[in-house]
């Protein structure tokens, strides 16, 4: 029997969904191509974040999230895929290969996650005080576990304050690095563009009373009485190891968690400073305890307004031959 192969139609489906994944500074560091009947998700070296991502961690996380979207879209369109991470040892730019798998329909929960792809946005505004219910918290933990990752929800002000100290310390390190700040400024957009973070989608300027740091994407002041929540739900997503494949897989888990957040009517934003700074990441890992592996992303989750949309390149621009 001749093995099934993907073609241009499936490639378009995968790319159109993959580009909706999150990425550091909305850099969109991915490309898609057909190769021997498989759809490959590749890192785009032109979009490597250099000073902002010296080891390629952010690129691998973003590409993993794009792989999850692509896999979900193919399933929703009746062409389920089997994913192999880093399928070509000779070409480290290939993050994953998706080959046709056994036909099956999408389940209702999978269809719901697919429907959430277009609605998922990072929300950098204050959340409402309503607590996230226990059953929704369990769904988020299960979402990470379904992709072979773990999600730890911080409980109590002691754990939350400890994380906030690590995050603020990491943010100070990055703010004191002129080269890093110059690179960050290159992703701020004041005019229409296919990537980067529009000023309108950025967080308001941070204030001394804020528990958590904000990215300096713009200079919009905060409206009076719109302080951030004093006790947000913070989740730490991680993997058992920290190889390149572990980081890509963490990207898949991150996107499943984010789409579960969206499907549950919640909002979220990512806090990557404690992961970007090596010392802070090690401190965060120690604070979680020996039963965990390597932290790969921190999330702030709650009820609130969905974030402003950020631009995406045309899917055709991300497809290569």
């Amino acid at each position: 029997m001749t093995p099934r192969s993907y073609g241009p139609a499936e490639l378009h489906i995968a790319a159109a969904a993959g580009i909706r994944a999150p990425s550091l500074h909305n850099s969109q560091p991915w490309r898609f191509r057909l190769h021997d009947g498989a759809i490959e998700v590749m890192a785009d070296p032109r979009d490597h974040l250099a000073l902002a991502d010296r080891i390629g961690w952010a690129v691998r996380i973003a590409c993993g999230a794009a792989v999850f979207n692509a896999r979900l879209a193919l399933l929703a369109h009746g062409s389920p895929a089997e994913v192999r991470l880093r399928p070509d040892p000779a070409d480290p730019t290939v993050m994953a290969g998706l080959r046709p798998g056994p036909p099956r329909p999408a389940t209702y929960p999978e269809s719901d996650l697919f429907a959430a792809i277009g609605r998922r946005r990072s929300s950098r505004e204050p959340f409402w005080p309503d607590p996230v219910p226990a059953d929704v918290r369990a769904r988020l933990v299960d979402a990470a576990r379904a992709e072979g990752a773990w999600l730890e929800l911080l409980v109590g002000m002691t754990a939350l304050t400890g994380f906030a100290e690590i995050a603020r310390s990491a943010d100070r390190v990055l703010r004191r690095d002129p080269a890093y700040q110059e690179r960050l400024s290159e992703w701020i957009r004041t005019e229409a563009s296919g990537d980067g973070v529009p000023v309108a989608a950025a967080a308001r300027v941070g204030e001394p009373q804020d528990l958590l740091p904000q990215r300096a994407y713009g200079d919009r002041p905060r409206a009076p009485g719109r302080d951030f929540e004093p006790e947000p739900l913070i989740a730490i997503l991680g993997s058992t190891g920290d190889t390149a494949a572990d980081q890509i897989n963490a990207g898949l888990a991150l996107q499943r968690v984010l789409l579960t957040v969206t499907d549950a009517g919640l909002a979220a934003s990512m806090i990557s400073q404690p992961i970007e700074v090596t010392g802070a990441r090690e401190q965060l890992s120690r604070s979680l305890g020996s039963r965990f592996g390597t932290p790969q992303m921190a999330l702030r989750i709650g009820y609130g307004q969905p974030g402003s949309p950020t631009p995406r390149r045309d899917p055709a621009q991300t497809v290569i031959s």
Side-chain angles (χ1 to χ4, degrees), residues 20-22 61-73 75 81 83 104 106-114 116-117 120 136-151 237 248-264 266 268 270 299 301:
R20 302 307 308 175
I61 289 285
C63 286
V67 170
F68 184 85
N69 275 6
R71 188 185 73 187
L72 191 59
L75 173 60
V83 175
R104 73 169 180 87
T107 63
Y108 287 122
E110 289 167 338
S111 296
D112 290 341
L113 291 184
F114 173 69
I117 289 177
R120 186 216 62 81
V136 177
R137 295 179 184 226
R139 283 182 60 192
L140 301 179
V141 172
D142 289 344
R145 187 179 297 129
E147 299 298 329
W150 51 265
L151 189 75
L237 176 96
I248 298 167
N249 193 74
L252 274 85
L254 171 65
Q255 185 64 353
R256 182 183 278 271
V257 169
L258 290 172
L259 293 180
T260 302
V261 164
T262 303
D263 181 57
L266 295 163
M270 286 164 279
L299 301 170
I301 302 170

Side-chain angles (χ1 to χ4, degrees), residues 240 285-294:
T240 54
S285 182
R286 289 194 299 270
S287 73
L288 293 172
S290 59
R291 71 184 187 280
F292 294 98
T294 304

